[in-house]
Amino acid sequence: MKRIRYTKFTGDLASSFGLEDLMQALSDFLLDSGFNDPMSRFQEFDGEQTMENLREAIKQALESGELFDDEAQEKFDELSADQVEELVDQIIQKMQEQNFINAEMPENGQGKAGGDGESAKFEVTDKAMDFLGYKALRELLGPLGKSNLGRHDTRHEASGVETNGSSKLYEFGDTLNLDITATLSSVFAREGIRTAVEGEEHAPLNIEYSDIHVQQADYTSSCATVVLLDCSHSMILYGEDRFTPAKRVAMALAHLIRTQFPGDTLNLVLFHDTAEEIPVSQLSRVKVGPHYTNTREGLRLAQRILSRQNKDMKQIVMITDGKPSALTLPDGRIYKNAFGLDPLVIAETLEEVSRCKRSNIMINTFMLAQDFALMQFVQQVSAMCRGKAYFTSPERLGSYLLMDFMSRRMKTVH
């Protein structure tokens, strides 16, 4: 008889923690916004997503003591420098195998950085971005207690699959989800119950068009959302990083919509000197630059995106910390003025807000600043478009934005 001997599986250090925990530990490195934070352990990498920087970031995460349990930490402390390098190689290999990163190795004889190292690049995958969005969503909603996440309920009814117990006469275009009981009751009421019970044998019931009833279902609406994200230079000025929290909130919102509101759409627009649409999967690479704030161009692009969406509700979620300070002129030149609220820039921006109102697009603004004149401007924008203005901090941005998003989804659509 064949005998099997079982022994304790010890594994290696690369398997002693989950890659999800490592991705969470590396999130500040992966989502770098260009802000030079002296308190960050990853600040010396300058946000460059090279393989060498990734190796150093993994080493710092391993040395922090946050990933290993006590037994594994003791084993890690006993490793030599060469063994640590080998461990990092194993971890990077696992990250590639599990599709958290894609490595872009340079061609042979090329890609040397200063002649002593390869400047191989890596790219964060959609899977990794979705995971980081999920973690951000949990962190943002965790302190808020229980919340009833659902689809967009309305007061209206429609024929569908998820019935609510009522029925209606069939109309052309309705989903043919027959209510058999109501249909037969209509037949019996018209022809008489005795005809149905005592009629000739095998005589068919005469069902007419007016007898057909279909099940009613609650009509759920859909929403198209464009997140306008300010990436002007002021988002990392004044000793505070406002851009990284905004990136985390955008990822969390994308994960929330994908999992809880599958009929919705989310588009992401960056606005600075001009405006551009980017996929959420590319958000980790985005940094602020020496840019001004062209709010009108961002609103223009958002309107073009929303005009292509056939949704019941359309909204713009604008996250910014600065006043409009740039304008695209008819000849394509960029007019810039960073001093005060320029009358020309403000007037053109408010005109674009009026166009949003005429298109029934709501604008909700999340302002990361407390300047009085700017607050008045934002309140005027919100009043024009029946939206809301939130004056918050980077730490509270996610709570305000996500709770506002969900509360409006659970209200009746008129």
Side-chain angles (χ1 to χ4, degrees):
M1 180 177 179
K2 183 178 180 180
R3 300 178 64 181
I4 301 176
R5 182 180 179 182
Y6 293 94
T7 59
K8 180 181 179 181
F9 174 73
T10 58
D12 58 356
L13 288 176
S15 303
S16 61
F17 59 88
L19 288 185
E20 292 83 3
D21 296 330
L22 177 63
M23 292 296 294
Q24 180 67 11
L26 296 176
S27 61
D28 288 340
F29 167 68
L30 299 174
L31 300 177
D32 179 78
S33 62
F35 177 69
N36 186 18
D37 184 2
M39 303 300 293
S40 173
R41 63 190 181 196
F42 303 120
Q43 60 93 16
E44 71 270 18
F45 301 141
D46 197 27
E48 286 294 326
Q49 290 191 329
T50 64
M51 292 298 291
E52 186 59 32
N53 283 349
L54 176 61
R55 293 176 62 85
E56 293 300 322
I58 292 175
K59 288 181 187 178
Q60 293 189 20
L62 296 176
E63 294 168 355
S64 67
E66 300 174 358
L67 297 176
F68 297 120
D69 56 26
D70 294 339
E71 182 179 354
Q73 185 65 43
E74 291 180 2
K75 293 181 179 180
F76 176 76
D77 293 338
E78 297 172 357
L79 296 180
S80 65
D82 292 339
Q83 289 174 322
V84 171
E85 294 290 342
E86 183 179 350
L87 174 60
V88 172
D89 288 337
Q90 295 174 5
I91 293 173
I92 291 178
Q93 182 65 29
K94 290 182 63 176
M95 293 175 70
Q96 294 184 66
E97 291 174 353
Q98 297 189 27
N99 196 30
F100 281 106
I101 62 170
N102 287 327
E104 302 175 0
M105 299 300 295
E107 299 179 3
N108 294 333
Q110 298 182 359
K112 297 292 183 179
D116 57 357
E118 293 185 344
S119 58
K121 302 286 186 179
F122 75 91
E123 183 181 82
V124 181
T125 63
D126 291 348
K127 174 184 176 180
M129 289 297 295
D130 188 56
F131 168 75
L132 293 175
Y134 163 73
K135 296 294 288 186
L137 183 63
R138 286 194 58 181
E139 290 178 358
L140 293 172
L141 294 185
L144 302 179
K146 294 182 179 179
S147 58
N148 182 22
L149 305 183
R151 287 169 294 177
H152 315 277
D153 296 330
T154 72
R155 66 171 59 179
H156 308 294
E157 292 184 322
S159 59
V161 177
E162 298 180 9
T163 63
N164 60 13
S166 60
S167 62
K168 63 182 285 289
L169 283 173
Y170 173 77
E171 298 180 50
F172 180 77
D174 286 344
T175 302
L176 198 58
N177 187 21
L178 283 177
D179 185 341
I180 302 299
T181 301
T183 301
L184 293 179
S185 296
S186 178
V187 175
F188 296 155
R190 181 172 47 78
E191 296 193 349
I193 189 65
R194 295 181 63 86
T195 302
V197 176
E198 301 177 0
E200 297 182 8
E201 189 175 1
H202 306 303
L205 290 174
N206 182 25
I207 301 178
E208 297 183 356
Y209 185 87
S210 60
D211 296 321
I212 300 177
H213 285 67
V214 292
Q215 295 278 8
Q216 283 279 72
D218 291 328
Y219 173 71
T220 53
S221 66
S222 56
C223 180
T225 301
V226 172
V227 174
L228 272 181
L229 186 55
D230 184 355
C231 62
S232 61
H233 195 51
S234 62
M235 291 289 278
I236 60 170
L237 288 179
Y238 315 115
E240 187 176 35
D241 181 9
R242 303 178 180 92
F243 193 60
T244 300
K247 290 167 69 172
R248 293 184 190 275
V249 169
M251 291 190 304
L253 186 60
H255 186 86
L256 176 67
I257 289 177
R258 187 182 63 82
T259 56
Q260 299 296 330
F261 306 101
D264 287 10
T265 61
L266 176 69
N267 297 84
L268 181 62
V269 171
L270 303 177
F271 66 101
H272 36 90
D273 289 348
T274 56
E276 58 191 289
E277 180 184 5
I278 67 166
V280 178
S281 60
Q282 299 297 319
L283 190 55
S284 66
R285 294 184 170 185
V286 177
K287 297 183 182 181
V288 298
H291 302 306
Y292 288 72
T293 308
N294 194 338
T295 306
R296 186 186 73 160
E297 196 64 25
L299 292 172
R300 280 184 168 181
L301 180 54
Q303 288 179 82
R304 291 197 295 269
I305 294 172
L306 291 173
S307 67
R308 303 193 297 262
Q309 305 290 345
N310 184 23
K311 302 296 181 183
D312 300 326
M313 297 181 289
K314 297 180 179 181
Q315 68 170 346
I316 294 173
V317 175
M318 182 165 60
I319 305 173
T320 181
D321 78 326
K323 60 184 177 295
S325 58
L327 192 67
T328 303
L329 300 176
D331 59 4
R333 292 180 299 153
I334 307 298
Y335 170 75
K336 304 174 183 179
N337 184 3
F339 301 99
L341 293 175
D342 187 289
L344 174 62
V345 176
I346 296 300
E348 293 293 335
T349 303
L350 291 178
E351 176 60 29
E352 207 61 45
V353 172
S354 297
R355 293 191 180 95
C356 292
K357 179 182 179 181
R358 292 193 291 270
S359 300
N360 294 320
I361 298 173
M362 181 186 296
I363 301 177
N364 288 327
T365 306
F366 295 83
M367 180 59 61
L368 303 173
Q370 300 294 331
D371 180 79
F372 179 73
L374 185 57
M375 291 171 65
Q376 288 185 318
F377 166 73
V378 172
Q379 289 170 347
Q380 185 176 359
V381 170
S382 301
M384 291 176 65
C385 282
R386 299 177 296 109
K388 296 178 182 179
Y390 295 87
F391 300 91
T392 181
S393 64
E395 294 77 17
R396 299 292 298 168
L397 171 64
S399 301
Y400 280 118
L401 197 156
L402 292 175
M403 285 304 294
D404 174 76
F405 180 86
M406 290 186 297
S407 64
R408 284 184 290 108
R409 294 310 175 278
M410 292 181 284
K411 292 179 181 177
T412 300
V413 178
H414 299 282

Tab-separated table of all heavy atoms in Angstrom, residues 15 21 48 108 129-130 179 183 195 237 349 412:
chain	number	residue	atom	x	y	z
A	15	SER	N	6.243	34.322	-0.412
A	15	SER	CA	4.871	33.815	-0.302
A	15	SER	C	4.279	34.046	1.074
A	15	SER	O	3.168	33.590	1.348
A	15	SER	CB	4.844	32.305	-0.614
A	15	SER	OG	5.368	32.036	-1.896
A	21	ASP	N	-1.418	43.238	-0.196
A	21	ASP	CA	-0.853	44.051	0.883
A	21	ASP	C	0.348	44.861	0.383
A	21	ASP	O	0.534	46.016	0.778
A	21	ASP	CB	-0.429	43.157	2.051
A	21	ASP	CG	-1.602	42.452	2.697
A	21	ASP	OD1	-2.702	43.013	2.668
A	21	ASP	OD2	-1.417	41.339	3.216
A	48	GLU	N	9.424	58.540	-10.854
A	48	GLU	CA	9.771	57.822	-12.072
A	48	GLU	C	9.425	56.342	-11.915
A	48	GLU	O	9.886	55.687	-10.987
A	48	GLU	CB	11.269	57.974	-12.357
A	48	GLU	CG	11.665	59.346	-12.864
A	48	GLU	CD	11.078	59.646	-14.228
A	48	GLU	OE1	10.936	58.701	-15.034
A	48	GLU	OE2	10.741	60.804	-14.486
A	108	ASN	N	18.477	45.312	-26.269
A	108	ASN	CA	19.890	45.037	-25.974
A	108	ASN	C	20.768	46.179	-26.454
A	108	ASN	O	20.654	46.651	-27.583
A	108	ASN	CB	20.328	43.739	-26.673
A	108	ASN	CG	19.611	42.534	-26.093
A	108	ASN	OD1	19.204	42.556	-24.936
A	108	ASN	ND2	19.468	41.481	-26.884
A	129	MET	N	-4.929	48.917	-10.887
A	129	MET	CA	-5.654	50.159	-10.667
A	129	MET	C	-7.037	49.884	-10.081
A	129	MET	O	-7.514	50.614	-9.210
A	129	MET	CB	-5.785	50.930	-11.981
A	129	MET	CG	-4.478	51.528	-12.469
A	129	MET	SD	-3.811	52.762	-11.336
A	129	MET	CE	-5.061	54.019	-11.437
A	130	ASP	N	-7.685	48.820	-10.550
A	130	ASP	CA	-8.989	48.468	-10.014
A	130	ASP	C	-8.871	48.060	-8.547
A	130	ASP	O	-9.718	48.400	-7.721
A	130	ASP	CB	-9.602	47.336	-10.837
A	130	ASP	CG	-11.049	47.066	-10.448
A	130	ASP	OD1	-11.856	48.008	-10.500
A	130	ASP	OD2	-11.362	45.914	-10.091
A	179	ASP	N	-48.088	38.464	-17.264
A	179	ASP	CA	-48.742	38.174	-15.988
A	179	ASP	C	-49.904	37.236	-16.307
A	179	ASP	O	-50.987	37.679	-16.709
A	179	ASP	CB	-49.221	39.476	-15.342
A	179	ASP	CG	-49.796	39.253	-13.954
A	179	ASP	OD1	-50.162	38.100	-13.648
A	179	ASP	OD2	-49.875	40.217	-13.169
A	183	THR	N	-53.934	38.104	-17.001
A	183	THR	CA	-54.408	37.891	-18.383
A	183	THR	C	-55.621	36.972	-18.410
A	183	THR	O	-56.631	37.264	-19.064
A	183	THR	CB	-53.277	37.310	-19.239
A	183	THR	OG1	-52.166	38.221	-19.240
A	183	THR	CG2	-53.742	37.071	-20.667
A	195	THR	N	-68.336	29.844	-19.185
A	195	THR	CA	-67.804	29.458	-20.494
A	195	THR	C	-66.479	28.745	-20.332
A	195	THR	O	-66.180	27.774	-21.047
A	195	THR	CB	-67.623	30.698	-21.376
A	195	THR	OG1	-68.867	31.371	-21.512
A	195	THR	CG2	-67.080	30.318	-22.745
A	237	LEU	N	1.031	73.061	-4.482
A	237	LEU	CA	1.706	74.190	-3.855
A	237	LEU	C	1.252	74.362	-2.401
A	237	LEU	O	0.374	73.650	-1.917
A	237	LEU	CB	1.425	75.469	-4.648
A	237	LEU	CG	2.115	75.596	-6.013
A	237	LEU	CD1	1.723	76.900	-6.675
A	237	LEU	CD2	3.627	75.497	-5.874
A	349	THR	N	-16.088	81.663	-18.548
A	349	THR	CA	-16.338	80.424	-17.806
A	349	THR	C	-17.803	80.320	-17.406
A	349	THR	O	-18.426	79.252	-17.528
A	349	THR	CB	-15.439	80.359	-16.559
A	349	THR	OG1	-14.067	80.456	-16.956
A	349	THR	CG2	-15.646	79.044	-15.815
A	412	THR	N	-35.482	59.914	-5.444
A	412	THR	CA	-36.383	59.763	-6.568
A	412	THR	C	-36.032	60.737	-7.677
A	412	THR	O	-35.776	61.922	-7.428
A	412	THR	CB	-37.845	60.009	-6.122
A	412	THR	OG1	-38.156	59.040	-5.122
A	412	THR	CG2	-38.810	59.860	-7.284
